[in-house]
Amino acid sequence: MSSSLGQKFRNIGPGALVAAGFIGPGTVTTCTVSGASYGYTMLWALLFATAATIIFQEMASRVGIVSGKGLGENIRDRIPNKALMWIAIVIVIIAIFVGNIAYETGNITGGILGIQAVLPDVPMIPIAIVLGILAFIAMWIGSYKVVEVVLTAIVVFMGVVFLVTAFASNPDWGAIVAGLFVPTLPEEGSKGILTAVGLIGTTIVPYNLFLHASGASERFKDPEQVSDARFDTILSIGLGGIISMAILICAAANIFGTETVVTNGKDMALALQPLLGSWATWMIGLGLLAAGFSSAITASFSAAYAVNGVLGWKKTTKDLRFKSIWIIVLVAGCVMAVALGKSPTELILVAQAANAILLPIMAFFVLYCANGKDLGKWRNHIFANCAGVVIIVITLFMCYRNMSSFLTSLQALIGG
């Protein structure tokens, strides 16, 4: 029995959480750097990433709803061979730790960029320590929900500001259409390919697959509500993708061609000056801080949920094993943000690209779970399988093209 349109809107939730999760400091930074450096030419990467996110997040939510379990539990339960199961578990855990620590590094760096946009003389180390301690306290005592709602509201407001500014900036609509539908990749060795892969990695967030499956399984108890979850996914992530494109368009319209190299929050604020004027720096600073802090909590908890699920542990936020996972991710993110943060925008870009490299692994497991025979009529049909395979192949190709640029940038961060 299908729900009315009003009921579908009332059931919006897990998909909106995913959209809020990927519009973090990584998205703001990567989209701004892309627009400022390459104009509108990388819009196709965001269009591809948004469509791919909808397809794989829909699979994850459907698996969660029909099975009543998270993605981690599904991966563990659906591999009958014990040896293969443990190989899969190890692969997932490594990917989750590497990916979430990379994201956490970007989140903390984003928070630092936000504060330094308005207080440029404050050193990185004290900011990272304060952000880490505040996030630790909020998660340890479980009082993060109210904080997260407030911070998410700020991020949403910033997204709306970018959307309005995109129209107010009088962009080149012909170039926008060409950028959306004519894929172009820069020459081998160029940072452009790193940027393109970063745009994909900042949108199709691997840990969001676990977050969405768990959230959907809790929100929708009846498999017949899969259509409601699909509506939530398409609407929420579609709007998130449009906001990401608006950020890139603002940067392309207001920074590209000025020879400005985006290295900090003040540089990013140039994209909002047509609408906000001198207040643009404050908006970027507050937005990056809110996005970084809220995403730092989300990334840490998502890693804990994913590892607990795939290992079959008891999933409770008060469990010491659960806490140990998010503590490792949070501390590692703070340490790496300080250790590698001499070029913060470059660090965030590399962090997003690292997740894109890990994406095909998680996408494969989602595709595998979504084809489970026990899902009955809700298992993947031919279109979803073909689309999933095409996305994985394209992502693998781009990651292969990106590898030399990624390693060069990573080496520069470590050595510099």
Side-chain angles (χ1 to χ4, degrees), residues 127-144:
I127 299 174
I129 292 173
V130 171
L131 289 176
I133 290 173
L134 291 176
F136 178 89
I137 292 172
M139 289 187 284
W140 186 270
I141 64 179
S143 62
Y144 64 93

Side-chain angles (χ1 to χ4, degrees), residues 22 44 62-63 71-73 148 152 189 191 204 275 336 371:
F22 73 70
W44 66 268
R62 178 160 32 92
V63 168
L71 185 58
E73 294 95 324
E148 199 170 40
T152 301
K191 285 188 179 179
I204 319 173
L275 184 68
M336 290 183 66
N371 278 281

Side-chain angles (χ1 to χ4, degrees), residues 84-402:
L84 290 177
M85 181 193 76
W86 279 107
I87 291 173
I89 288 173
V90 170
I91 291 173
V92 169
I93 290 175
I94 291 174
I96 286 295
F97 266 112
V98 172
N100 280 50
I101 288 173
Y103 250 92
E104 196 72 335
T105 303
N107 293 332
I108 299 298
T109 304
I112 293 171
L113 277 176
I115 292 177
Q116 289 185 335
V118 294
L119 299 171
D121 295 328
V122 179
M124 290 182 61
I125 294 177
I127 299 174
I129 292 173
V130 171
L131 289 176
I133 290 173
L134 291 176
F136 178 89
I137 292 172
M139 289 187 284
W140 186 270
I141 64 179
S143 62
Y144 64 93
K145 286 295 184 184
V146 175
V147 175
E148 199 170 40
V149 169
V150 174
L151 295 176
T152 301
I154 294 173
V155 175
V156 170
F157 178 72
M158 179 179 65
V160 172
V161 170
F162 269 110
L163 196 59
V164 174
T165 306
F167 285 94
S169 299
N170 192 28
D172 184 339
W173 292 103
I176 289 174
V177 173
L180 281 169
F181 300 107
V182 183
T184 57
L185 282 175
E187 293 298 319
E188 191 75 36
S190 166
K191 285 188 179 179
I193 183 65
L194 182 72
T195 305
V197 174
L199 290 171
I200 293 172
T202 197
T203 308
I204 319 173
V205 184
Y207 74 69
N208 270 343
L209 296 167
F210 291 85
L211 190 66
H212 203 173
S214 297
S217 68
E218 293 174 7
R219 170 65 69 90
F220 305 104
K221 299 299 183 182
D222 184 353
E224 295 295 337
Q225 292 181 294
V226 163
S227 61
D228 289 10
R230 187 176 293 124
F231 178 83
D232 172 32
T233 300
I234 294 172
L235 179 65
S236 300
I237 295 174
L239 287 174
I242 289 172
I243 290 174
S244 297
M245 293 177 196
I247 297 171
L248 190 153
I249 289 170
C250 286
N254 301 308
I255 305 178
F256 179 65
T258 64
E259 298 185 1
T260 299
V261 179
V262 177
T263 59
N264 54 48
K266 280 192 173 182
D267 295 334
M268 294 184 208
L270 295 172
L272 290 177
Q273 280 190 352
L275 184 68
L276 298 181
S278 60
W279 288 98
T281 301
W282 285 92
M283 181 72 259
I284 281 291
L286 182 60
L288 283 173
L289 176 60
F293 191 76
S294 61
S295 296
I297 293 174
T298 304
S300 299
F301 265 134
S302 296
Y305 275 119
V307 173
N308 274 263
V310 79
L311 287 175
W313 295 348
K314 183 181 179 182
K315 285 198 309 182
T316 167
T317 56
K318 296 181 179 180
D319 187 88
L320 186 57
R321 288 177 297 183
F322 183 97
K323 290 180 177 180
S324 66
I325 301 301
W326 64 252
I327 288 172
I328 292 171
V329 172
L330 177 62
V331 172
C334 290
V335 171
M336 290 183 66
V338 173
L340 305 177
K342 293 181 180 179
S343 303
T345 54
E346 182 79 5
L347 175 57
I348 291 175
L349 191 63
V350 170
Q352 312 315 306
N355 269 278
I357 292 170
L358 295 169
L359 173 64
I361 299 171
M362 295 296 102
F364 168 79
F365 283 116
V366 173
L367 199 61
Y368 175 78
C369 291
N371 278 281
K373 292 182 179 179
D374 59 305
L375 298 183
K377 67 178 183 179
W378 290 283
R379 67 186 297 198
N380 267 9
H381 294 299
I382 185 67
F383 172 78
N385 283 328
C386 289
V389 171
V390 169
I391 291 167
I392 291 173
V393 170
I394 291 175
T395 306
L396 283 171
F397 168 74
M398 291 191 65
C399 289
Y400 169 76
R401 283 282 310 272
N402 165 66

